[in-house]
Structures are given as C-alpha cells and as structure tokens.
C-alpha cells in the first residue's frame, strides 16, 4: 500500500475528502519524523512504538575489493510492533 491508497482508505473511514485525508496522513508521518529527528520516542497504543537507536562505529569490508573500512557511528529509527498489532497478524 502506498500513501495514495492509504489516504483513500483513511478518507473512506473518516468521511473526509481525499485531499484532506492525504494532508492528514502526511502530517502524521511528518510529526513522527520530526520527533525522531529530535530523539523522541513516538508510541501509538495498539499499533507500536518508533524509537531512535544509536549504531556504534564498526569495521566493515568493501565488497568489491575486500578492503577493511571504518563505518561511522549513526542513528536509526526502529519500530516495535505492539501486542495488538502482533495479534492481528
């Protein structure tokens, strides 16, 4: 499912028009991204939790040459599904 299909389903479920639903969906994802950029956790009860995790610096290998390289430390966004979502699967 892409953003357009998700927006149409939200519009149908909420009696909104497609344009307003798409704006609402995009606003939700923008707020989740903004919170992640600030290092905050976003928890949606019954759905799951978005958290920011640190990835330490590590050694890796260049696949084409086999040369060892340094991979810099970074951050990643992780999603943990809530029990309610897991039960639906």
């Amino acid at each position: 499912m892409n953003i357009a299909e998700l927006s149409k389903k939200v519009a149908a479920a909420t009696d909104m028009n497609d344009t307003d639903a798409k704006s609402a969906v995009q606003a939700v994802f923008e707020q989740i991204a903004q919170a992640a950029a600030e290092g905050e956790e976003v928890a949606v009860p019954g759905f799951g939790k978005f958290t920011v995790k640190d990835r330490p610096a590590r050694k890796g290998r260049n696949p084409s040459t086999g040369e060892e390289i340094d991979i810099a430390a970074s951050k990643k966004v992780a999603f943990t599904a809530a029990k309610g979502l897991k039960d639906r699967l």
Side-chain angles (χ1 to χ4, degrees):
M1 178 182 302
N2 61 32
I3 195 97
E5 293 166 337
L6 178 60
S7 297
K8 286 183 186 216
K9 289 185 182 234
V10 169
T14 60
D15 294 327
M16 296 173 77
N17 65 43
D18 288 349
T19 305
D20 290 343
K22 186 172 184 179
S23 294
V25 169
Q26 288 176 328
V28 168
F29 286 121
E30 179 60 36
Q31 292 306 309
I32 291 171
Q34 182 64 35
E38 294 170 2
E40 295 179 32
E41 178 180 289
V42 177
V44 181
F47 183 72
K49 178 169 48 171
F50 297 91
T51 55
V52 177
K53 295 187 177 184
D54 291 321
R55 295 186 71 182
R58 61 196 188 280
K59 297 284 185 184
R61 293 221 175 261
N62 180 330
S64 61
T65 65
E67 177 186 354
E68 189 173 87
I69 58 172
D70 292 323
I71 301 171
S74 62
K75 295 182 182 281
K76 70 173 189 165
V77 176
F79 175 75
T80 305
K83 183 178 183 318
L85 179 59
K86 288 179 186 178
D87 290 346
R88 291 183 78 172
L89 299 177

